[in-house]
């Protein structure tokens, strides 16, 4: 079974600094998708970034970028120039291609200090 | 595009009553919808997957007679918590996926804003 592990229950970052959230996963599949979701205090799940496993290039969305290491099964999220609005719970998630289910990690609470 | 709504956003009910939560895809046809449950500061736990016009597939440990799911149309799924008890109090989130005309990310799930259920 596929599993997703987020080993950092909580992280803190100073405003304008950079922070990296860790995620590892376990799968025997070769084609899959990886996602980072943000859940702010409103609890609305927001897609931050996605990565297709077949793409070697790391995905980037403005201040958010990933470090995808397929062989190591690692998928970390880097947030640059952190802003107060980045404070939220972040979930790493996995989905096999053509499958239905998203497998979520336990989440990392990110606190941003002003 | 790809907006999912949930209604109600917050509901309080007495123990023993039933509560229905609606999940709607507003601008796309959702062939598949998902229902999650989330406790405070925890991850999302998938309860069931429903495909339009067919019976829902429940995850292990989820009581299908207690959590009734109906996906009668391509834009609406409902979750009914029957004979609710205080331990059913939680945050319920739906998501939807489907073929989106002109949108390539059909492998994504689009999430509703959630429903907070409190059973007294």
């Amino acid at each position: 079974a596929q599993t997703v592990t987020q080993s950092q229950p909580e992280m803190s970052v100073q405003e304008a600094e950079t922070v990296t959230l860790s995620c590892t996963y376990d799968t025997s599949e070769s084609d899959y998708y990886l996602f980072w979701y943000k859940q702010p205090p409103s609890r609305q799940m927001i897609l931050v970034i996605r990565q297709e496993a077949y793409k070697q290039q790391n995905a980037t969305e403005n201040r958010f970028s990933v470090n995808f290491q397929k062989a190591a099964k690692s998928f970390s999220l880097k947030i640059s120039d952190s802003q107060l609005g980045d404070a939220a719970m972040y979930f790493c998630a996995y989905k096999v291609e053509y499958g239905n289910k998203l497998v979520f990690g336990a989440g990392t609470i990110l606190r941003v200090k002003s | 595009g790809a907006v999912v709504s949930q209604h109600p956003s917050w509901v309080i009910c007495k123990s023993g009553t039933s509560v229905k939560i609606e999940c709607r895809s507003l601008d796309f046809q959702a062939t598949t919808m998902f229902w999650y449950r989330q406790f405070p500061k925890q991850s999302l736990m998938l309860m069931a997957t429903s495909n339009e016009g067919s019976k829902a597939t429940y995850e292990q440990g989820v009581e299908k007679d207690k959590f009734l799911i109906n996906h009668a149309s391509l834009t609406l799924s409902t979750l009914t918590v029957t004979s609710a008890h205080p331990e059913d109090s939680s945050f319920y989130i739906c998501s939807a996926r489907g073929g989106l005309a002109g949108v390539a990310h059909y492998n994504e799930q689009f999430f509703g804003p959630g429903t907070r259920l409190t059973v007294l």
Side-chain angles (χ1 to χ4, degrees):
Chain A
Q2 296 91 1
T3 58
V4 176
T5 302
Q6 292 180 249
S7 58
Q8 305 154 317
E10 292 191 24
M11 292 283 284
S12 291
V13 63
Q14 200 70 34
E15 199 175 3
E17 297 295 309
T18 296
V19 65
T20 298
L21 307 184
S22 301
C23 173
T24 58
Y25 58 96
D26 187 26
T27 183
S28 57
E29 302 287 340
S30 57
D31 297 321
Y32 51 87
Y33 295 84
L34 295 164
F35 306 87
W36 278 100
Y37 284 91
K38 171 184 177 181
Q39 189 179 41
S42 69
R43 302 188 80 169
Q44 170 74 60
M45 294 286 283
I46 301 166
L47 177 65
V48 175
I49 202 164
R50 59 177 264 158
Q51 174 82 43
E52 292 89 340
Y54 66 85
K55 290 187 177 179
Q56 293 184 336
Q57 188 172 6
N58 290 325
T60 300
E61 288 287 340
N62 300 315
R63 297 182 296 107
F64 299 88
S65 61
V66 297
N67 183 2
F68 173 49
Q69 301 290 326
K70 191 171 184 179
K73 297 180 181 174
S74 170
F75 183 61
S76 61
L77 174 70
K78 186 172 82 171
I79 306 174
S80 304
D81 186 26
S82 297
Q83 301 175 359
L84 294 176
D86 294 334
M89 190 144 183
Y90 286 81
F91 293 101
C92 178
Y94 161 100
K95 191 185 85 66
V96 65
E97 191 173 16
Y98 303 119
N100 270 332
K101 298 181 186 179
L102 274 174
V103 178
F104 285 94
T108 297
I109 296 173
L110 178 65
R111 306 188 193 282
V112 181
K113 301 176 183 176
S114 60
Chain B
V3 179
V4 176
S5 70
Q6 273 184 250
H7 178 81
S9 56
W10 183 42
V11 57
I12 301 175
C13 70
K14 292 183 179 180
S15 185
T17 61
S18 294
V19 174
K20 180 184 284 189
I21 302 170
E22 292 186 347
C23 177
R24 293 181 185 273
S25 56
L26 299 185
D27 51 4
F28 68 101
Q29 293 183 325
T31 52
T32 307
M33 286 185 167
F34 307 84
W35 287 96
Y36 296 88
R37 185 173 181 176
Q38 185 183 31
F39 292 105
K41 295 188 178 180
Q42 293 189 23
S43 189
L44 281 69
M45 182 191 78
L46 180 65
M47 299 174 67
T49 302
S50 72
N51 292 297
E52 184 266 338
S54 60
K55 289 184 178 180
T57 301
Y58 289 81
E59 295 299 302
Q60 192 172 9
V62 177
E63 299 176 62
K64 61 181 180 181
D65 293 331
K66 181 165 189 64
F67 298 100
L68 300 179
I69 292 170
N70 183 280
H71 192 166
S73 79
L74 284 171
T75 59
L76 174 65
S77 176
T78 59
L79 167 67
T80 301
V81 184
T82 62
S83 186
H85 290 285
E87 58 266 28
D88 299 323
S89 298
S90 189
F91 193 69
Y92 293 87
I93 304 174
C94 75
S95 70
R97 59 158 281 191
L100 301 180
V103 180
H105 296 167
Y106 81 100
N107 268 306
E108 288 178 34
Q109 289 185 24
F110 300 95
F111 287 85
T115 297
R116 183 182 303 278
L117 170 63
T118 301
V119 185
L120 302 176

